[in-house]
Amino acid sequence: MIRLSSLIPVLILVIQNSFAQRSVPLDTLHWEINAQAHVFENYQGQDAIYIQQGSAALKDTKFLNGTIEFDIYLTERRSFPGLRFRAFEDGNMESFYFRPHLSGMPDANQATPVVNRLSAWQLYFGPSYSSPYDYRLNEWTHVKVLVNGRKAQIFLDHSEKPLLSWNLKHEPKAGKVTIGGSAGAMHYANFKISTDTPEIKDFNVVNREKVPNIVQEWEISDVFDEALLNDPTELSAVIKGRKWGKRIQVEENNVSNISWAATPGQNGENTVFARIVVHSETNQTKLFHFGYSDRVVAILNQKAIYKGTNQFRTRDYRYLGTVGLFDAVYLDLKKGRNTLLLAVSENFGGWGVTGKFESEAGISIK
């Protein structure tokens, strides 16, 4: 006769394991589909979902920390399939997606926050947010993602070492999990999730070199229609009509993300002023380096002095529009207070601004 007391440890172990990780069937009972098209089918030996131009959100699950695993059938077609987690209806979440058409390239994948519905890969790029990988195209690839606090890692094909470790940008808060992507459709299978906090090992983030004299903070206006900038004689009125008060700080990537302070409007408002005040000890000319995404008009003391475009594919068909200190302008500063505005307009890919003076001798910035 088996004593009940001897079974209790076994029962506890079974219960613990059942909660440690659960498999989620790919069906409409467990997933909310928001895509142009989807198909549930057995594909290449797996019960799978085929998602075209959209996503599937896991129902009845709030994910803060834990482990997410699934298989994805990558092909050579241009596509951006992947995973989003800690997602909210207001369009804030963390994201990782694949670029299988760039297999083996430095940007074969992408980790980025989505801030107020704007994915920001033009701001968060390079080895801190991407890693080269030769994908096994036209067969199943296993994906495992670990999330703990502000840290995340991704492992591919059951590797013991992470493909990429990165720092998450949002404050940790439990949200939805979704799979899917844009452009070419992909198959997903074998989805599993655990909300047990995982141990993070081998967390090796590639830190970007700090830029000296970088502007640490920008004041951001309310959003307005970019078309208001077309008539330079009306700039004073446009500036006067703005509301102020929100500020953004430079991040470890040497860029300030405007999306933390602004959201494009429903009627086409896609532009803000990013403002700094420069106090100059004398009348002098200073070289100012800056970067932006996607378009800019630079205005010094209410006078337009520069207009530029850094938009995706505007310079050639491969141009990404990533943000760096690629542009510069000579500022004729007067003694005392000078107001520099960068009117930054956004299409997609990241709404960012950055700047630095070649030398800060004889000036102070507020």
Side-chain angles (χ1 to χ4, degrees):
M1 183 175 180
I2 301 176
R3 294 179 179 271
L4 180 61
S5 59
S6 66
L7 288 176
I8 290 176
V10 178
L11 291 172
I12 292 174
L13 180 61
V14 170
I15 293 172
Q16 286 178 338
N17 286 339
S18 66
F19 281 99
Q21 187 178 64
R22 63 185 176 98
S23 297
V24 182
L26 294 166
D27 55 33
T28 54
L29 179 64
H30 295 87
W31 297 86
E32 180 181 348
I33 313 298
N34 183 15
Q36 284 186 357
H38 71 279
V39 177
F40 296 109
E41 62 179 346
N42 188 282
Y43 187 77
Q44 297 295 320
Q46 306 275 24
D47 290 331
I49 181 175
Y50 185 66
I51 303 174
Q52 180 177 356
Q53 201 71 22
S55 64
L58 182 61
K59 294 180 180 179
D60 303 323
T61 299
K62 293 293 185 182
F63 180 84
L64 175 62
N65 298 319
T67 304
I68 299 171
E69 295 189 60
F70 57 93
D71 294 331
I72 186 169
Y73 197 90
L74 297 174
T75 70
E76 67 280 357
R77 70 179 70 127
R78 183 176 180 270
S79 56
F80 307 94
L83 171 76
R84 291 181 172 184
F85 55 93
R86 295 179 177 171
F88 293 88
E89 298 298 330
D90 61 1
N92 286 285
M93 64 199 76
E94 305 289 352
S95 173
F96 182 91
Y97 59 87
F98 300 96
R99 298 185 180 107
H101 54 290
L102 297 179
S103 179
M105 297 292 105
D107 56 346
N109 42 69
Q110 177 74 57
T112 181
V114 178
V115 181
N116 290 325
R117 294 188 171 84
L118 290 179
S119 179
W121 56 270
Q122 290 176 322
L123 282 55
Y124 305 101
F125 61 91
S128 297
Y129 302 97
S130 300
S131 184
Y133 193 78
D134 291 316
Y135 297 119
R136 300 189 305 167
L137 300 178
N138 300 309
E139 58 181 288
W140 290 104
T141 294
H142 185 71
V143 181
K144 181 171 76 172
V145 179
L146 302 184
V147 180
N148 186 346
R150 300 297 286 263
K151 298 179 178 180
Q153 293 177 309
I154 187 162
F155 302 76
L156 296 185
D157 296 319
H158 304 283
S159 171
E160 295 183 358
K161 296 291 184 179
L163 170 73
L164 180 69
S165 300
W166 75 99
N167 292 303
L168 302 175
K169 294 299 181 180
H170 291 279
E171 288 291 334
K173 185 178 178 181
K176 289 186 176 182
V177 172
T178 72
I179 53 175
S182 59
M186 291 291 167
H187 283 89
Y188 301 79
N190 292 327
F191 188 92
K192 299 177 182 179
I193 187 169
S194 166
T195 53
D196 292 342
T197 301
E199 182 181 1
I200 301 292
K201 301 178 181 179
D202 300 315
F203 190 79
N204 299 313
V205 175
V206 180
N207 293 314
R208 191 167 295 178
E209 183 178 352
K210 293 297 181 183
V211 174
N213 301 334
I214 200 82
V215 174
Q216 295 295 311
E217 183 179 77
W218 299 83
E219 188 176 12
I220 303 299
S221 76
D222 59 339
V223 296
F224 60 94
D225 192 333
E226 183 181 9
L228 295 178
L229 301 171
N230 292 340
D231 186 353
T233 65
E234 296 295 326
L235 277 179
S236 294
V238 177
I239 295 168
K240 185 178 180 180
R242 304 277 57 82
K243 296 178 182 179
W244 298 87
K246 294 183 178 180
R247 295 180 177 272
I248 55 174
Q249 283 70 45
V250 69
E251 299 181 27
E252 46 74 34
N253 56 352
N254 299 309
V255 178
S256 298
N257 187 345
I258 293 171
S259 297
W260 295 115
T263 305
Q266 296 181 351
N267 298 314
E269 301 92 345
N270 65 338
T271 303
V272 298
F273 287 126
R275 179 169 71 181
I276 58 172
V277 175
V278 183
H279 290 269
S280 178
E281 296 176 2
T282 62
N283 294 330
Q284 59 179 317
T285 301
K286 283 285 188 179
L287 181 61
F288 183 71
H289 301 269
F290 63 101
Y292 56 91
S293 177
D294 288 312
R295 294 174 299 283
V296 74
V297 175
I299 302 163
L300 179 64
N301 297 327
Q302 300 200 11
K303 181 181 179 180
I305 58 174
Y306 181 95
K307 183 176 182 179
T309 298
N310 188 47
Q311 190 174 326
F312 178 66
R313 289 186 173 178
T314 51
R315 305 188 185 188
D316 65 56
Y317 71 96
R318 295 164 297 186
Y319 186 69
L320 297 178
T322 48
V323 179
L325 296 164
F326 306 139
D327 293 43
V329 63
Y330 288 96
L331 301 180
D332 290 326
L333 302 176
K334 63 184 181 181
K335 182 178 179 180
R337 178 187 173 98
N338 298 266
T339 300
L340 176 63
L341 302 175
L342 297 184
V344 187
S345 303
E346 166 67 357
N347 269 27
F348 86 107
W351 202 357
V353 64
T354 188
K356 58 161 284 187
F357 281 92
E358 184 75 13
S359 168
E360 293 187 349
I363 62 171
S364 61
I365 304 170
K366 293 185 179 180

